[in-house]
Amino acid sequence: MSKGPTLETSTIVFNYPGCSRPGLKALARRYRRANLTQDLQTGLTLIFTHGGTSRTPFHIYSALEIVHSSWADKEVWEPVIQVLLGLPVTEKSSARQNVPVIREAWSLEWQNHGESAIVNHSILTNGHSCLSLREWEAAVRHFAIMKSQQGHQLVGIGHSVGACTMVSDRMKHYSLRSTMSLPPGVPVPYSAMIFVEDSLSTRAAWDMPGDPFRRNLDAARNASGTRRGTWTDRQQAYDFLSRDKLYVAWDKRISDLFLCYCLRDTLPSERGHPGVTLACSRTWEKAWYCEDEYELLLEAADHLVTIDPALDIHCVYGDREDFIPQSAHDSILSVRRMASVQRIPNAGHAVVQENPDEVAFCLKRILQNMAAKQPLISML
């Protein structure tokens, strides 16, 4: 794969309405082509959300160990974004003008992951350890509405639980294309959404006896927090991860990004200091696996059917069934007609980590087709 254009990046820290803890911040990282003389005024703006943190192995088949290693933070999308920002312009024949396919890309981060966990460390370690998916929903919702109001044509791209942040009950009023429920002055934030190995499941599938999705989540909860999370230095962490079967299937670029962004120096008050540890601690990771959080996955599926069918939603899946069972995916495909359904070879639920090149090619096709159909817009 070609390297793609040189990227310019910047990170913003922002407040958002609905924040549950005073002082808690959200982070978003912007990507655009380097050396632009001014901000682009046309093209699609991509909003990426990553998957949750889990490093738990699952023995789904007796003769084959299937690995669920859905670590992520906002930088996990960088190999994909590198390709997408290299897309050539699309000619708008009616306007006789070349229009960039991608205006810019933003990757948002769950507030207790990666760099966000470092920024919010003192708040996260004071009080309850669980930071709900609903907290991330609030930040994503606020950011999407803000960019839409600025005149951006948004495409939401979410991996795993990141897809659920885009279809919460609090977002549906902003996602419907009907005349009802839109607050005055608030435009529809998304032109389309793309779910990449989403964690959605209908209640009917969830309630089936022996449902493998529920079983896998419970196994993750029981095993979470038992794996090593502190090392003497980054080299020791790299040596450990390079031998660990949970990470061996990842693309090397993802492993390098992990070492750069998902580890932090330990504090003098912490066990194992001096050293490096996971930015998202094992305690925070384990706290997510509870009934209240599972309910949010089901709520997202409930609200999916309320979104106007005119809004295109695309689904991208890995071709290997592991952590998210095919029955869960099929249950979602049965309640809504999707704009497209595509499968990525040589990958399971951690498709973004395992095969980012194929994910990029898949998204490239979707976005090129989408851009060709979009009206030409510009900011005032």
Side-chain angles (χ1 to χ4, degrees):
M1 171 176 288
S2 61
K3 182 179 178 181
T6 301
L7 302 186
E8 175 186 279
T9 66
S10 59
T11 300
I12 66 169
V13 181
F14 62 95
N15 300 312
Y16 54 94
C19 176
S20 67
R21 305 185 191 187
L24 196 66
K25 306 292 185 182
L27 273 66
R29 190 171 179 88
R30 184 176 81 162
Y31 298 84
R32 65 173 194 163
R33 286 175 174 265
N35 303 318
L36 292 176
T37 57
Q38 60 183 3
D39 287 350
L40 294 174
Q41 305 297 301
T42 58
L44 300 170
T45 293
L46 311 181
I47 294 184
F48 290 89
T49 53
H50 60 75
T53 298
S54 181
R55 307 172 187 85
T56 305
F58 291 91
H59 296 75
I60 306 300
Y61 305 107
S62 58
L64 179 65
E65 182 178 67
I66 301 298
V67 174
H68 171 53
S69 53
S70 188
W71 157 81
D73 65 358
K74 61 186 185 301
E75 285 80 16
V76 72
W77 286 105
E78 285 190 3
V80 173
I81 292 172
Q82 181 82 46
V83 174
L84 298 181
L85 285 179
L87 289 176
V89 297
T90 297
E91 182 176 330
K92 296 286 185 179
S93 58
S94 60
R96 294 185 177 278
Q97 180 177 354
N98 287 335
V99 178
V101 174
I102 307 301
R103 178 175 177 172
E104 61 186 26
W106 290 86
S107 188
L108 276 68
E109 189 167 64
W110 202 340
Q111 295 93 319
N112 63 352
H113 283 57
E115 185 183 7
S116 298
I118 298 173
V119 170
N120 291 317
H121 182 77
S122 61
I123 298 171
L124 294 171
T125 53
N126 182 20
H128 298 294
S129 60
C130 181
L131 193 68
S132 175
L133 180 62
R134 199 176 293 286
E135 190 78 36
W136 196 20
E137 289 176 358
V140 173
R141 179 174 67 251
H142 170 72
F143 188 86
I145 294 170
M146 176 183 67
K147 299 305 292 184
S148 180
Q149 289 176 328
Q150 293 173 356
H152 290 251
Q153 284 184 292
L154 304 182
V155 178
I157 304 174
H159 176 215
S160 188
V161 296
C164 299
T165 67
M166 298 178 182
V167 289
S168 69
D169 58 339
R170 291 157 183 79
M171 180 60 88
K172 68 176 182 178
H173 299 302
Y174 303 106
S175 298
L176 291 169
R177 290 182 180 272
S178 65
T179 57
M180 61 180 292
S181 301
L182 284 175
V186 178
V188 176
Y190 295 117
S191 297
M193 291 186 284
I194 304 174
F195 297 164
V196 180
E197 269 291 324
D198 62 77
S199 295
L200 296 162
S201 174
T202 63
R203 294 182 187 275
W206 180 267
D207 291 336
M208 289 291 291
D211 174 56
F213 190 14
R214 173 60 180 268
R215 183 186 66 217
N216 290 348
L217 285 170
D218 288 343
R221 177 180 59 198
N222 294 333
S224 184
T226 62
R227 299 184 59 77
R228 184 172 181 176
T230 301
W231 300 268
T232 302
D233 52 34
R234 279 173 168 75
Q235 183 60 51
Q236 187 186 62
Y238 175 81
D239 293 342
F240 173 83
L241 296 173
S242 65
R243 299 188 301 269
D244 193 319
K245 64 184 66 176
L246 292 178
Y247 298 90
V248 71
W250 288 2
D251 185 281
K252 185 179 184 302
R253 292 165 294 178
I254 302 296
S255 299
D256 290 343
L257 287 166
F258 175 89
L259 291 175
C260 184
Y261 294 106
C262 278
L263 299 176
R264 64 168 177 83
D265 294 337
T266 57
L267 300 175
S269 60
E270 292 178 309
R271 184 177 181 180
H273 179 79
V276 296
T277 189
L278 296 167
C280 181
S281 73
R282 298 298 193 197
T283 300
W284 299 343
E285 173 189 329
K286 186 171 185 176
W288 184 84
Y289 293 97
C290 64
E291 294 297 328
D292 288 345
E293 296 302 310
Y294 298 169
E295 175 64 21
L296 297 182
L297 306 182
L298 303 178
E299 284 184 8
D302 293 340
H303 300 308
L304 180 65
V305 301
T306 71
I307 298 176
D308 189 342
L311 180 67
D312 284 346
I313 299 179
H314 302 261
C315 290
V316 178
Y317 301 124
D319 68 354
R320 185 178 68 244
E321 182 179 8
D322 45 34
F323 186 64
I324 307 293
Q326 187 61 45
S327 58
H329 294 325
D330 289 344
S331 73
I332 295 301
L333 297 178
S334 70
V335 298
R336 180 185 174 91
R337 182 176 181 180
M338 300 299 179
S340 71
V341 179
Q342 303 187 51
R343 299 194 180 276
I344 303 295
N346 304 316
H349 184 57
V351 60
V352 177
Q353 290 88 349
E354 294 176 342
N355 201 341
D357 289 345
E358 287 297 329
V359 171
F361 281 132
C362 183
L363 297 182
K364 177 180 176 180
R365 291 191 296 268
I366 294 172
L367 294 170
Q368 284 178 319
N369 291 334
M370 195 180 300
K373 300 175 183 177
Q374 291 293 324
L376 182 64
I377 68 166
S378 62
M379 281 179 52
L380 298 178

